[in-house]
Amino acid sequence: MLSVRRRNERLNQVRWLWSCEQPIQQNGNDAGDPTKQFGKMSTATEIESLVKQEYKYGFVTDVETESAPPGLNEDIVRLISAKKKEPEWMTEWRLKAFRYWQTMKEPTWQFVKYPPVNFQDITYYVAPKSQKDGPKSLDEVDPKLLETYEKLGIPLRERERLAGVAVDAVFDSVSVGTTYRDQLAAKGIIFCSMSEAVREHPDLVKKYIGSVVPYTDNFYAALNSAVFSDGSFVYIPKGVRCPMELSTYFRINAAKSGQFERTLIIADEGASVSYLEGCTAPMRDENQLHAAVVELVALDRAEIKYSTVQNWYPGDEEGRGGIYNFVTKRGLCKGKNSRITWTQVETGSAITWKYPSCILLGEGSKGEFYSVAVVNNRQQADTGTKMIHIGKNTTSTIVSKGISAGRGQNSYRGLVEIRKSATNSRNFSQCDSMLIGAKCGAHTFPYIEVKNTSSSVEHEATTSKIGEDQIFYCNQRGISTQDAVNMIVNGFCKEVFKELPMEFAVEAQKLLGVSLEGSVG
Amino acid sequence: MSKQPILEIENLHAGVENKQILKGFSLTIYPGEVHALMGLNGSGKSTLAAILAGREGYEITQGTVKYLGQDVLEMDPEERAREGIFLAFQYPVEIPGVNSTYFLKAALNEVRKHKGLPELDAMEFLSLVKEKVKLLELNDDLLKRSVNEGFSGGEKKRAEIFQMAVLEPKLAILDETDSGLDIDALKVVSAGVNRLKRPDAAQLVITHYQRLLNYIIPDYVHVMADGRIVKSGGKELALELESQGYEAIVKGQSVAA
């Protein structure tokens, strides 16, 4: 959700912070509590009761939609392509991907459990009806949609543009408006929806789409390539530093629909850009699939910083509902001395399964991955990164912080591969896990392959538990249990938060607090 | 004495998992007083400190504890802290990544909110910190680091005393503050404690060894054995303990009892 806050927009910021202050629900059955006569409820019970937080983005927006019938076949793929008025080559590419997908099997190696997904049950194309042809300007956008974004705190409207983030908002399958476009265009920056890019910048799209994540890459990447509905496209021309943070905000609204967006960011020689992504979805009892593909390409000396704050609906306490977030994110450091940084704060999804990765092809290129992944209740996460060193003198840094609470299962899975050609390369990995309560799990699966003798790889890992001792220590200084948990967890995540754009770091901390409320047991 | 006691413990019985630790502990402390509680390991000194601060896991089966007339046992630990009960921990806890200054500011503002005072902003807090650093002749480097993380034993204890200086409690309980300190650190810490003495506040100094009492001069010394106080006296009792050992005094008392 944090995709779009503003440095100068105090008002907006204040409103957001306020909305985080959820009422704390107590399990207040004092009379029956045997510990009560001895002074106080046990900390454990108290903390558990604090966790009973409602997901606050769980509302459904009532907008008329136009959708394809559920199920997937070549006709649906053609329909999507036609709806988007795509050129022939794009349709063909989708069909190739679809045919390839049909030959593939769903992977099962991941450390997450879920009932098989019925791909024929999903609706692959849903669009708000009133803007069949895509809104020409914000005035044409359904006011209900704008209201939704308003609720989410996204300043899409003109008056809020003062805020300074350029936002592309994707609602179900369609991009509903891109702000700041003109200002960006003056610098030659292209920031638009993917559908538009296919029509208006076919050469760039044709050249780069699938160049980092080919449709043959994996099951979900193939599916996405066949049915992707929208997403964001960014091109930063040579030598241009993007003057503002670019941002996409994703929301799944319709029931039984999947969201398959595709994002492509290209930073040309010497260019730099910071891109933010935020997500939410309504509360529903059934699971919804989100299978996105994000491709980043950095040419010589280019820098791309991609930050995600993911707050998809995680399902209820018993694990009913929630988003399956099966996403392929990969960056290619194609040019010399290029740099790609992934920063993610993951608090949502019933299941998170993704590995934002870097291919370090250009000499002296740098890959970085900073991640905080939180699981509570029955959430599961199998996430991490891959750093593939191919060029000489390449370096990579991995800092992963996994927090498990409730019955959550959190796995870090990472690959550091240093190929023979990647002489004098270095990697540093740090994977820390924190356990809150006794029913959750933390797992680490690091893979390291080094094929030359001039490179070095360091891996550090720790597992800690929020101790009753730490909480009591804070209590004894007058700090409530809730504040203590927030403080301890934020301290644990500090190294990652400091990588986030400043205003996001503040919000990420708050979000973490909300996600973990009542989670200590 | 017409003053209201700060702390009144009466016939306290408490324990863990069917093991009785405190067996009829009584103690009354008035404002301005410094009490030393001495005793062998296992006599129940630290249990008493934990119960006063509100740590969970203890079963209180009998007795009352009053703090400024209020029933302490009905209060949450954070409430006790905000009301002015401070425990200097025997083993201060590390909180990685949480800046000491930030932590202490949060703690102080909780106390101030509780008293209905406005919270201090960063600038006001820093000037308060400077003043206290001067008062205690401490090195403020510790405040730039994470709470107790990687501190030496002595640094941890100093940091505790510093927190005490900032929070200005009405009742400070120092649980074996001397343990693990070399003589220099002991001097610094006890000098700090002495400077923090106030006529409206009291200190309960829990210690195993007499040596701390060379630096912190108590008004009263109590000897604890088997869950209760077996002998009370002035500061000379500590010296008596040192020369005769616990056993003689404890035995003498039990026979007498």
Side-chain angles (χ1 to χ4, degrees), chain A residues 38-40 42-43 468-470 472-473 475-478 487 491 494, chain B residues 55-56 60 73 77-78 81-82 85 87 94 97-98 107 110 160 163:
Chain A
F38 305 122
K40 67 180 287 288
S42 75
T43 312
E468 301 260 309
D469 279 357
Q470 283 175 321
F472 178 67
Y473 187 74
N475 286 162
Q476 215 299 307
R477 297 298 183 255
M487 207 183 252
K494 202 177 196 174
Chain B
R55 187 185 274 275
E56 69 169 297
I60 292 148
L73 302 179
E78 57 268 35
R82 291 169 196 165
I85 297 179
L87 173 64
E94 300 191 3
V98 177
E110 288 295 346
E160 291 290 285
Q163 292 186 17

PDB file of all heavy atoms in Angstrom, chain A residues 38-40 42-43 468-470 472-473 475-478 487 491 494, chain B residues 55-56 60 73 77-78 81-82 85 87 94 97-98 107 110 160 163:
ATOM      1  N   PHE A  38      -3.217 -13.315  40.672  1.00  0.00           N
ATOM      2  CA  PHE A  38      -1.834 -13.049  41.032  1.00  0.00           C
ATOM      3  C   PHE A  38      -1.312 -11.795  40.375  1.00  0.00           C
ATOM      4  O   PHE A  38      -0.123 -11.572  40.277  1.00  0.00           O
ATOM      5  CB  PHE A  38      -0.940 -14.235  40.683  1.00  0.00           C
ATOM      6  CG  PHE A  38      -1.418 -15.491  41.308  1.00  0.00           C
ATOM      7  CD1 PHE A  38      -1.728 -16.592  40.535  1.00  0.00           C
ATOM      8  CD2 PHE A  38      -1.581 -15.531  42.679  1.00  0.00           C
ATOM      9  CE1 PHE A  38      -2.175 -17.736  41.133  1.00  0.00           C
ATOM     10  CE2 PHE A  38      -2.044 -16.684  43.273  1.00  0.00           C
ATOM     11  CZ  PHE A  38      -2.344 -17.795  42.499  1.00  0.00           C
ATOM     12  N   GLY A  39      -2.201 -10.984  39.914  1.00  0.00           N
ATOM     13  CA  GLY A  39      -1.738  -9.680  39.461  1.00  0.00           C
ATOM     14  C   GLY A  39      -2.067  -9.366  38.022  1.00  0.00           C
ATOM     15  O   GLY A  39      -2.724  -8.400  37.743  1.00  0.00           O
ATOM     16  N   LYS A  40      -1.625 -10.200  37.089  1.00  0.00           N
ATOM     17  CA  LYS A  40      -1.855  -9.802  35.711  1.00  0.00           C
ATOM     18  C   LYS A  40      -1.996 -10.996  34.799  1.00  0.00           C
ATOM     19  O   LYS A  40      -1.610 -12.097  35.140  1.00  0.00           O
ATOM     20  CB  LYS A  40      -0.704  -8.913  35.230  1.00  0.00           C
ATOM     21  CG  LYS A  40       0.608  -9.638  35.122  1.00  0.00           C
ATOM     22  CD  LYS A  40       1.696  -8.709  34.650  1.00  0.00           C
ATOM     23  CE  LYS A  40       1.558  -8.375  33.197  1.00  0.00           C
ATOM     24  NZ  LYS A  40       1.888  -9.458  32.295  1.00  0.00           N
ATOM     25  N   SER A  42      -1.041 -13.281  31.765  1.00  0.00           N
ATOM     26  CA  SER A  42       0.298 -13.624  31.309  1.00  0.00           C
ATOM     27  C   SER A  42       0.589 -12.851  30.028  1.00  0.00           C
ATOM     28  O   SER A  42      -0.298 -12.561  29.247  1.00  0.00           O
ATOM     29  CB  SER A  42       0.392 -15.122  31.032  1.00  0.00           C
ATOM     30  OG  SER A  42      -0.268 -15.407  29.843  1.00  0.00           O
ATOM     31  N   THR A  43       1.824 -12.521  29.840  1.00  0.00           N
ATOM     32  CA  THR A  43       2.215 -11.756  28.664  1.00  0.00           C
ATOM     33  C   THR A  43       1.831 -12.508  27.396  1.00  0.00           C
ATOM     34  O   THR A  43       1.395 -11.938  26.421  1.00  0.00           O
ATOM     35  CB  THR A  43       3.729 -11.517  28.676  1.00  0.00           C
ATOM     36  OG1 THR A  43       4.063 -11.051  29.964  1.00  0.00           O
ATOM     37  CG2 THR A  43       4.125 -10.505  27.644  1.00  0.00           C
ATOM     38  N   GLU A 468      10.808 -13.208  26.056  1.00  0.00           N
ATOM     39  CA  GLU A 468      10.018 -12.592  27.112  1.00  0.00           C
ATOM     40  C   GLU A 468      10.922 -11.620  27.867  1.00  0.00           C
ATOM     41  O   GLU A 468      10.460 -10.615  28.381  1.00  0.00           O
ATOM     42  CB  GLU A 468       9.514 -13.668  28.077  1.00  0.00           C
ATOM     43  CG  GLU A 468       8.669 -14.727  27.405  1.00  0.00           C
ATOM     44  CD  GLU A 468       7.189 -14.489  27.618  1.00  0.00           C
ATOM     45  OE1 GLU A 468       6.787 -14.306  28.776  1.00  0.00           O
ATOM     46  OE2 GLU A 468       6.448 -14.471  26.619  1.00  0.00           O
ATOM     47  N   ASP A 469      12.211 -11.946  27.907  1.00  0.00           N
ATOM     48  CA  ASP A 469      13.152 -11.097  28.629  1.00  0.00           C
ATOM     49  C   ASP A 469      13.232  -9.708  28.015  1.00  0.00           C
ATOM     50  O   ASP A 469      13.231  -8.714  28.716  1.00  0.00           O
ATOM     51  CB  ASP A 469      14.566 -11.704  28.583  1.00  0.00           C
ATOM     52  CG  ASP A 469      14.727 -12.796  29.616  1.00  0.00           C
ATOM     53  OD1 ASP A 469      13.759 -13.011  30.381  1.00  0.00           O
ATOM     54  OD2 ASP A 469      15.792 -13.427  29.650  1.00  0.00           O
ATOM     55  N   GLN A 470      13.301  -9.685  26.679  1.00  0.00           N
ATOM     56  CA  GLN A 470      13.380  -8.389  26.006  1.00  0.00           C
ATOM     57  C   GLN A 470      12.105  -7.594  26.246  1.00  0.00           C
ATOM     58  O   GLN A 470      12.140  -6.390  26.492  1.00  0.00           O
ATOM     59  CB  GLN A 470      13.571  -8.584  24.495  1.00  0.00           C
ATOM     60  CG  GLN A 470      14.982  -8.971  24.124  1.00  0.00           C
ATOM     61  CD  GLN A 470      15.091  -9.278  22.648  1.00  0.00           C
ATOM     62  OE1 GLN A 470      14.191  -9.879  22.055  1.00  0.00           O
ATOM     63  NE2 GLN A 470      16.190  -8.887  22.031  1.00  0.00           N
ATOM     64  N   PHE A 472       9.958  -7.929  28.711  1.00  0.00           N
ATOM     65  CA  PHE A 472       9.865  -7.513  30.111  1.00  0.00           C
ATOM     66  C   PHE A 472      10.778  -6.319  30.388  1.00  0.00           C
ATOM     67  O   PHE A 472      10.422  -5.394  31.114  1.00  0.00           O
ATOM     68  CB  PHE A 472      10.202  -8.686  31.046  1.00  0.00           C
ATOM     69  CG  PHE A 472      10.161  -8.301  32.498  1.00  0.00           C
ATOM     70  CD1 PHE A 472       8.959  -7.949  33.102  1.00  0.00           C
ATOM     71  CD2 PHE A 472      11.320  -8.268  33.261  1.00  0.00           C
ATOM     72  CE1 PHE A 472       8.918  -7.575  34.435  1.00  0.00           C
ATOM     73  CE2 PHE A 472      11.285  -7.889  34.592  1.00  0.00           C
ATOM     74  CZ  PHE A 472      10.088  -7.540  35.183  1.00  0.00           C
ATOM     75  N   TYR A 473      11.945  -6.357  29.779  1.00  0.00           N
ATOM     76  CA  TYR A 473      12.880  -5.245  29.963  1.00  0.00           C
ATOM     77  C   TYR A 473      12.243  -3.930  29.500  1.00  0.00           C
ATOM     78  O   TYR A 473      12.298  -2.917  30.193  1.00  0.00           O
ATOM     79  CB  TYR A 473      14.167  -5.524  29.180  1.00  0.00           C
ATOM     80  CG  TYR A 473      15.282  -4.535  29.427  1.00  0.00           C
ATOM     81  CD1 TYR A 473      15.998  -4.554  30.614  1.00  0.00           C
ATOM     82  CD2 TYR A 473      15.627  -3.599  28.459  1.00  0.00           C
ATOM     83  CE1 TYR A 473      17.033  -3.653  30.840  1.00  0.00           C
ATOM     84  CE2 TYR A 473      16.658  -2.698  28.678  1.00  0.00           C
ATOM     85  CZ  TYR A 473      17.358  -2.733  29.865  1.00  0.00           C
ATOM     86  OH  TYR A 473      18.378  -1.842  30.082  1.00  0.00           O
ATOM     87  N   ASN A 475       8.962  -3.388  29.147  1.00  0.00           N
ATOM     88  CA  ASN A 475       7.843  -3.126  30.072  1.00  0.00           C
ATOM     89  C   ASN A 475       8.349  -2.409  31.313  1.00  0.00           C
ATOM     90  O   ASN A 475       7.756  -1.454  31.793  1.00  0.00           O
ATOM     91  CB  ASN A 475       7.189  -4.439  30.543  1.00  0.00           C
ATOM     92  CG  ASN A 475       6.343  -5.115  29.487  1.00  0.00           C
ATOM     93  OD1 ASN A 475       6.035  -6.288  29.590  1.00  0.00           O
ATOM     94  ND2 ASN A 475       5.964  -4.383  28.446  1.00  0.00           N
ATOM     95  N   GLN A 476       9.473  -2.898  31.839  1.00  0.00           N
ATOM     96  CA  GLN A 476       9.998  -2.333  33.075  1.00  0.00           C
ATOM     97  C   GLN A 476      10.462  -0.888  32.880  1.00  0.00           C
ATOM     98  O   GLN A 476      10.661  -0.155  33.839  1.00  0.00           O
ATOM     99  CB  GLN A 476      11.139  -3.198  33.619  1.00  0.00           C
ATOM    100  CG  GLN A 476      11.183  -3.249  35.160  1.00  0.00           C
ATOM    101  CD  GLN A 476      11.389  -1.891  35.803  1.00  0.00           C
ATOM    102  OE1 GLN A 476      12.318  -1.173  35.470  1.00  0.00           O
ATOM    103  NE2 GLN A 476      10.500  -1.520  36.726  1.00  0.00           N
ATOM    104  N   ARG A 477      10.619  -0.479  31.643  1.00  0.00           N
ATOM    105  CA  ARG A 477      10.956   0.917  31.407  1.00  0.00           C
ATOM    106  C   ARG A 477       9.716   1.714  31.015  1.00  0.00           C
ATOM    107  O   ARG A 477       9.823   2.822  30.501  1.00  0.00           O
ATOM    108  CB  ARG A 477      12.035   1.026  30.314  1.00  0.00           C
ATOM    109  CG  ARG A 477      13.361   0.372  30.685  1.00  0.00           C
ATOM    110  CD  ARG A 477      13.998   1.013  31.907  1.00  0.00           C
ATOM    111  NE  ARG A 477      15.296   0.429  32.220  1.00  0.00           N
ATOM    112  CZ  ARG A 477      15.510  -0.414  33.236  1.00  0.00           C
ATOM    113  NH1 ARG A 477      14.524  -0.772  34.036  1.00  0.00           N
ATOM    114  NH2 ARG A 477      16.721  -0.903  33.462  1.00  0.00           N
ATOM    115  N   GLY A 478       8.537   1.095  31.174  1.00  0.00           N
ATOM    116  CA  GLY A 478       7.299   1.815  30.928  1.00  0.00           C
ATOM    117  C   GLY A 478       6.746   1.648  29.516  1.00  0.00           C
ATOM    118  O   GLY A 478       5.755   2.268  29.147  1.00  0.00           O
ATOM    119  N   MET A 487       9.250  -2.250  18.452  1.00  0.00           N
ATOM    120  CA  MET A 487      10.599  -1.719  18.586  1.00  0.00           C
ATOM    121  C   MET A 487      11.647  -2.813  18.295  1.00  0.00           C
ATOM    122  O   MET A 487      12.589  -2.598  17.556  1.00  0.00           O
ATOM    123  CB  MET A 487      10.737  -1.226  20.023  1.00  0.00           C
ATOM    124  CG  MET A 487      11.712  -0.123  20.240  1.00  0.00           C
ATOM    125  SD  MET A 487      11.775   0.241  22.021  1.00  0.00           S
ATOM    126  CE  MET A 487      10.935   1.783  22.080  1.00  0.00           C
ATOM    127  N   GLY A 491      14.069  -2.930  15.081  1.00  0.00           N
ATOM    128  CA  GLY A 491      15.514  -2.980  15.294  1.00  0.00           C
ATOM    129  C   GLY A 491      16.139  -4.100  14.478  1.00  0.00           C
ATOM    130  O   GLY A 491      17.177  -3.937  13.835  1.00  0.00           O
ATOM    131  N   LYS A 494      16.344  -3.147  10.762  1.00  0.00           N
ATOM    132  CA  LYS A 494      16.948  -1.855  10.490  1.00  0.00           C
ATOM    133  C   LYS A 494      17.788  -1.799   9.207  1.00  0.00           C
ATOM    134  O   LYS A 494      17.674  -0.883   8.412  1.00  0.00           O
ATOM    135  CB  LYS A 494      17.834  -1.491  11.668  1.00  0.00           C
ATOM    136  CG  LYS A 494      18.099  -0.034  11.798  1.00  0.00           C
ATOM    137  CD  LYS A 494      18.931   0.163  13.037  1.00  0.00           C
ATOM    138  CE  LYS A 494      18.935   1.591  13.489  1.00  0.00           C
ATOM    139  NZ  LYS A 494      19.642   1.713  14.763  1.00  0.00           N
TER     140      LYS A 494
ATOM    141  N   ARG B  55       7.484  -9.205  36.905  1.00  0.00           N
ATOM    142  CA  ARG B  55       7.784 -10.266  35.954  1.00  0.00           C
ATOM    143  C   ARG B  55       6.780 -11.404  36.134  1.00  0.00           C
ATOM    144  O   ARG B  55       6.401 -11.728  37.254  1.00  0.00           O
ATOM    145  CB  ARG B  55       9.198 -10.797  36.184  1.00  0.00           C
ATOM    146  CG  ARG B  55       9.627 -11.795  35.108  1.00  0.00           C
ATOM    147  CD  ARG B  55      10.970 -12.381  35.453  1.00  0.00           C
ATOM    148  NE  ARG B  55      12.082 -11.554  34.981  1.00  0.00           N
ATOM    149  CZ  ARG B  55      12.586 -11.628  33.749  1.00  0.00           C
ATOM    150  NH1 ARG B  55      12.084 -12.441  32.861  1.00  0.00           N
ATOM    151  NH2 ARG B  55      13.604 -10.856  33.415  1.00  0.00           N
ATOM    152  N   GLU B  56       6.338 -11.976  35.008  1.00  0.00           N
ATOM    153  CA  GLU B  56       5.336 -13.030  35.135  1.00  0.00           C
ATOM    154  C   GLU B  56       5.998 -14.357  35.487  1.00  0.00           C
ATOM    155  O   GLU B  56       7.219 -14.512  35.384  1.00  0.00           O
ATOM    156  CB  GLU B  56       4.551 -13.174  33.841  1.00  0.00           C
ATOM    157  CG  GLU B  56       5.338 -13.725  32.701  1.00  0.00           C
ATOM    158  CD  GLU B  56       4.427 -14.083  31.536  1.00  0.00           C
ATOM    159  OE1 GLU B  56       3.574 -14.968  31.715  1.00  0.00           O
ATOM    160  OE2 GLU B  56       4.567 -13.471  30.474  1.00  0.00           O
ATOM    161  N   ILE B  60       1.862 -15.827  43.591  1.00  0.00           N
ATOM    162  CA  ILE B  60       1.859 -15.189  44.911  1.00  0.00           C
ATOM    163  C   ILE B  60       0.703 -15.788  45.697  1.00  0.00           C
ATOM    164  O   ILE B  60      -0.455 -15.687  45.293  1.00  0.00           O
ATOM    165  CB  ILE B  60       1.716 -13.668  44.776  1.00  0.00           C
ATOM    166  CG1 ILE B  60       3.001 -13.129  44.130  1.00  0.00           C
ATOM    167  CG2 ILE B  60       1.508 -13.002  46.129  1.00  0.00           C
ATOM    168  CD1 ILE B  60       2.809 -11.935  43.274  1.00  0.00           C
ATOM    169  N   LEU B  73       0.572  -5.533  43.130  1.00  0.00           N
ATOM    170  CA  LEU B  73       0.372  -6.821  42.459  1.00  0.00           C
ATOM    171  C   LEU B  73      -0.748  -6.777  41.426  1.00  0.00           C
ATOM    172  O   LEU B  73      -0.848  -7.640  40.571  1.00  0.00           O
ATOM    173  CB  LEU B  73       0.086  -7.904  43.499  1.00  0.00           C
ATOM    174  CG  LEU B  73       1.202  -8.068  44.546  1.00  0.00           C
ATOM    175  CD1 LEU B  73       0.829  -9.138  45.563  1.00  0.00           C
ATOM    176  CD2 LEU B  73       2.528  -8.406  43.877  1.00  0.00           C
ATOM    177  N   PRO B  77       3.480  -4.553  34.573  1.00  0.00           N
ATOM    178  CA  PRO B  77       4.852  -4.068  34.755  1.00  0.00           C
ATOM    179  C   PRO B  77       5.066  -2.656  34.213  1.00  0.00           C
ATOM    180  O   PRO B  77       5.745  -1.847  34.839  1.00  0.00           O
ATOM    181  CB  PRO B  77       5.707  -5.059  33.966  1.00  0.00           C
ATOM    182  CG  PRO B  77       4.844  -6.204  33.626  1.00  0.00           C
ATOM    183  CD  PRO B  77       3.425  -5.845  33.892  1.00  0.00           C
ATOM    184  N   GLU B  78       4.464  -2.361  33.032  1.00  0.00           N
ATOM    185  CA  GLU B  78       4.707  -1.027  32.453  1.00  0.00           C
ATOM    186  C   GLU B  78       4.063   0.055  33.311  1.00  0.00           C
ATOM    187  O   GLU B  78       4.560   1.165  33.417  1.00  0.00           O
ATOM    188  CB  GLU B  78       4.260  -0.941  30.991  1.00  0.00           C
ATOM    189  CG  GLU B  78       2.822  -1.270  30.694  1.00  0.00           C
ATOM    190  CD  GLU B  78       2.620  -2.734  30.337  1.00  0.00           C
ATOM    191  OE1 GLU B  78       3.314  -3.613  30.906  1.00  0.00           O
ATOM    192  OE2 GLU B  78       1.754  -3.016  29.476  1.00  0.00           O
ATOM    193  N   ALA B  81       6.285   0.730  36.190  1.00  0.00           N
ATOM    194  CA  ALA B  81       7.428   1.535  35.761  1.00  0.00           C
ATOM    195  C   ALA B  81       7.026   2.994  35.622  1.00  0.00           C
ATOM    196  O   ALA B  81       7.736   3.891  36.068  1.00  0.00           O
ATOM    197  CB  ALA B  81       7.964   1.002  34.438  1.00  0.00           C
ATOM    198  N   ARG B  82       5.848   3.219  35.012  1.00  0.00           N
ATOM    199  CA  ARG B  82       5.402   4.605  34.801  1.00  0.00           C
ATOM    200  C   ARG B  82       5.101   5.293  36.131  1.00  0.00           C
ATOM    201  O   ARG B  82       5.209   6.504  36.246  1.00  0.00           O
ATOM    202  CB  ARG B  82       4.160   4.620  33.909  1.00  0.00           C
ATOM    203  CG  ARG B  82       4.471   4.197  32.476  1.00  0.00           C
ATOM    204  CD  ARG B  82       3.189   3.957  31.691  1.00  0.00           C
ATOM    205  NE  ARG B  82       3.475   3.213  30.473  1.00  0.00           N
ATOM    206  CZ  ARG B  82       2.543   2.615  29.744  1.00  0.00           C
ATOM    207  NH1 ARG B  82       1.274   2.670  30.120  1.00  0.00           N
ATOM    208  NH2 ARG B  82       2.865   1.949  28.654  1.00  0.00           N
ATOM    209  N   ILE B  85       8.548   2.843  39.644  1.00  0.00           N
ATOM    210  CA  ILE B  85       9.360   1.723  40.138  1.00  0.00           C
ATOM    211  C   ILE B  85      10.386   1.390  39.057  1.00  0.00           C
ATOM    212  O   ILE B  85      10.035   1.145  37.909  1.00  0.00           O
ATOM    213  CB  ILE B  85       8.491   0.480  40.432  1.00  0.00           C
ATOM    214  CG1 ILE B  85       7.488   0.799  41.546  1.00  0.00           C
ATOM    215  CG2 ILE B  85       9.371  -0.709  40.815  1.00  0.00           C
ATOM    216  CD1 ILE B  85       6.556  -0.353  41.900  1.00  0.00           C
ATOM    217  N   LEU B  87      13.731  -1.009  38.034  1.00  0.00           N
ATOM    218  CA  LEU B  87      14.599  -2.137  38.366  1.00  0.00           C
ATOM    219  C   LEU B  87      15.871  -2.037  37.524  1.00  0.00           C
ATOM    220  O   LEU B  87      15.813  -2.048  36.300  1.00  0.00           O
ATOM    221  CB  LEU B  87      13.881  -3.463  38.073  1.00  0.00           C
ATOM    222  CG  LEU B  87      14.707  -4.736  38.197  1.00  0.00           C
ATOM    223  CD1 LEU B  87      15.179  -4.965  39.640  1.00  0.00           C
ATOM    224  CD2 LEU B  87      13.910  -5.968  37.729  1.00  0.00           C
ATOM    225  N   GLU B  94      19.871  -7.284  25.854  1.00  0.00           N
ATOM    226  CA  GLU B  94      20.292  -6.639  24.602  1.00  0.00           C
ATOM    227  C   GLU B  94      19.115  -6.528  23.631  1.00  0.00           C
ATOM    228  O   GLU B  94      18.362  -7.479  23.468  1.00  0.00           O
ATOM    229  CB  GLU B  94      21.411  -7.455  23.935  1.00  0.00           C
ATOM    230  CG  GLU B  94      22.633  -7.582  24.814  1.00  0.00           C
ATOM    231  CD  GLU B  94      23.852  -8.148  24.070  1.00  0.00           C
ATOM    232  OE1 GLU B  94      23.746  -8.378  22.846  1.00  0.00           O
ATOM    233  OE2 GLU B  94      24.878  -8.345  24.731  1.00  0.00           O
ATOM    234  N   GLY B  97      19.753  -3.344  17.221  1.00  0.00           N
ATOM    235  CA  GLY B  97      19.149  -2.451  16.217  1.00  0.00           C
ATOM    236  C   GLY B  97      18.315  -1.334  16.812  1.00  0.00           C
ATOM    237  O   GLY B  97      17.864  -0.460  16.086  1.00  0.00           O
ATOM    238  N   VAL B  98      18.071  -1.363  18.116  1.00  0.00           N
ATOM    239  CA  VAL B  98      17.284  -0.290  18.730  1.00  0.00           C
ATOM    240  C   VAL B  98      18.238   0.664  19.437  1.00  0.00           C
ATOM    241  O   VAL B  98      18.904   0.291  20.392  1.00  0.00           O
ATOM    242  CB  VAL B  98      16.247  -0.850  19.731  1.00  0.00           C
ATOM    243  CG1 VAL B  98      15.497   0.292  20.413  1.00  0.00           C
ATOM    244  CG2 VAL B  98      15.279  -1.783  19.027  1.00  0.00           C
ATOM    245  N   ALA B 107      10.975   5.566  26.703  1.00  0.00           N
ATOM    246  CA  ALA B 107      10.672   5.210  28.089  1.00  0.00           C
ATOM    247  C   ALA B 107      10.302   6.464  28.892  1.00  0.00           C
ATOM    248  O   ALA B 107       9.297   6.490  29.601  1.00  0.00           O
ATOM    249  CB  ALA B 107      11.872   4.504  28.718  1.00  0.00           C
ATOM    250  N   GLU B 110       6.899   7.789  28.046  1.00  0.00           N
ATOM    251  CA  GLU B 110       5.816   6.998  28.641  1.00  0.00           C
ATOM    252  C   GLU B 110       5.560   7.483  30.067  1.00  0.00           C
ATOM    253  O   GLU B 110       4.411   7.642  30.495  1.00  0.00           O
ATOM    254  CB  GLU B 110       6.162   5.501  28.665  1.00  0.00           C
ATOM    255  CG  GLU B 110       6.144   4.828  27.289  1.00  0.00           C
ATOM    256  CD  GLU B 110       4.765   4.800  26.645  1.00  0.00           C
ATOM    257  OE1 GLU B 110       3.755   5.053  27.338  1.00  0.00           O
ATOM    258  OE2 GLU B 110       4.685   4.544  25.430  1.00  0.00           O
ATOM    259  N   GLU B 160      22.439   1.078  32.849  1.00  0.00           N
ATOM    260  CA  GLU B 160      21.268   0.952  33.721  1.00  0.00           C
ATOM    261  C   GLU B 160      21.150   2.160  34.638  1.00  0.00           C
ATOM    262  O   GLU B 160      20.081   2.716  34.823  1.00  0.00           O
ATOM    263  CB  GLU B 160      21.365  -0.326  34.580  1.00  0.00           C
ATOM    264  CG  GLU B 160      21.238  -1.624  33.807  1.00  0.00           C
ATOM    265  CD  GLU B 160      19.829  -1.859  33.281  1.00  0.00           C
ATOM    266  OE1 GLU B 160      18.939  -2.215  34.071  1.00  0.00           O
ATOM    267  OE2 GLU B 160      19.642  -1.669  32.072  1.00  0.00           O
ATOM    268  N   GLN B 163      19.987   5.139  32.783  1.00  0.00           N
ATOM    269  CA  GLN B 163      18.532   5.122  32.568  1.00  0.00           C
ATOM    270  C   GLN B 163      17.816   5.577  33.831  1.00  0.00           C
ATOM    271  O   GLN B 163      16.840   6.325  33.787  1.00  0.00           O
ATOM    272  CB  GLN B 163      18.076   3.713  32.189  1.00  0.00           C
ATOM    273  CG  GLN B 163      18.565   3.285  30.826  1.00  0.00           C
ATOM    274  CD  GLN B 163      17.980   1.943  30.407  1.00  0.00           C
ATOM    275  OE1 GLN B 163      17.001   1.484  30.965  1.00  0.00           O
ATOM    276  NE2 GLN B 163      18.599   1.314  29.437  1.00  0.00           N
TER     277      GLN B 163
END
